[in-house]
């Protein structure tokens, strides 16, 4: 994965300075959001449950960056936006699943049964939410190139 602006990227029309600013703003915003999520998780969910949420974010982010590197995807504004959306879904789903497991365990369920119930209850709504973003990937536009599909150049508008 390259951390430099690519000249072939349609998202980088205004130069490398904007790209580096976008990446640094993403990292700064991500760090702030992670701290807020961790504090809220620890305060509202407790230490043990908060640890699960706290570990899921950096672990998944590391895996995503490794997959991006392995597949040759660069960091662009579009991939940064996708990371933001994905991390939001991840944190939301992790908190909901953990809360659901805690409630079921307080009702006397064992861990495996509570985890299975949490998974089956949250998997479908998560897939429906993710499916809402599929049209972006299949659109014949400059965005489609980031999923490996055909790109089209934006047409010039005439006045």
């Amino acid at each position: 994965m390259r951390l430099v602006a690519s000249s072939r990227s349609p998202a980088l029309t205004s130069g490398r300075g904007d790209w580096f600013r976008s990446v640094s703003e993403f990292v700064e915003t991500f760090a702030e959001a992670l701290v807020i999520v961790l504090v809220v998780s620890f305060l509202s969910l407790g230490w043990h449950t908060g640890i699960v949420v706290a570990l899921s974010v950096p672990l998944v982010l590391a895996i995503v960056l490794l997959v991006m590197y392995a597949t040759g995807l660069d960091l662009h504004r579009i991939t940064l936006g996708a990371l933001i959306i994905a991390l939001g879904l991840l944190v939301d789903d992790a908190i909901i699943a953990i809360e659901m497991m805690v409630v079921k365990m307080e009702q006397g369920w064992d861990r495996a049964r509570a985890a299975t119930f949490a998974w089956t209850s949250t998997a479908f709504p998560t897939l429906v939410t993710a499916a809402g973003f599929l049209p972006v990937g299949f659109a014949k536009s400059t965005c489609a190139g980031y999923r490996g599909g055909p790109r089209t150049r934006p047409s010039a508008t005439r006045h």
Side-chain angles (χ1 to χ4, degrees), residues 58-123:
L59 179 66
V60 170
L61 184 62
I63 291 169
V64 167
L65 292 175
L66 285 172
V67 169
M68 285 177 65
Y69 178 76
T71 58
L73 281 174
D74 298 332
L75 279 177
H76 299 289
R77 289 181 181 149
I78 292 176
T79 54
L80 289 175
L83 279 173
I84 291 168
I85 292 169
L87 287 172
L89 290 172
L90 167 76
V91 169
D92 182 50
D93 288 347
I95 290 172
I96 290 170
I98 294 298
E99 286 178 340
M100 193 175 299
M101 285 179 59
V102 168
V103 166
K104 291 302 177 186
M105 287 171 54
E106 287 173 351
Q107 292 174 354
W109 294 26
D110 65 283
R111 288 183 185 180
R113 186 172 171 213
T116 303
F117 178 79
W119 163 252
T120 56
S121 299
T122 60

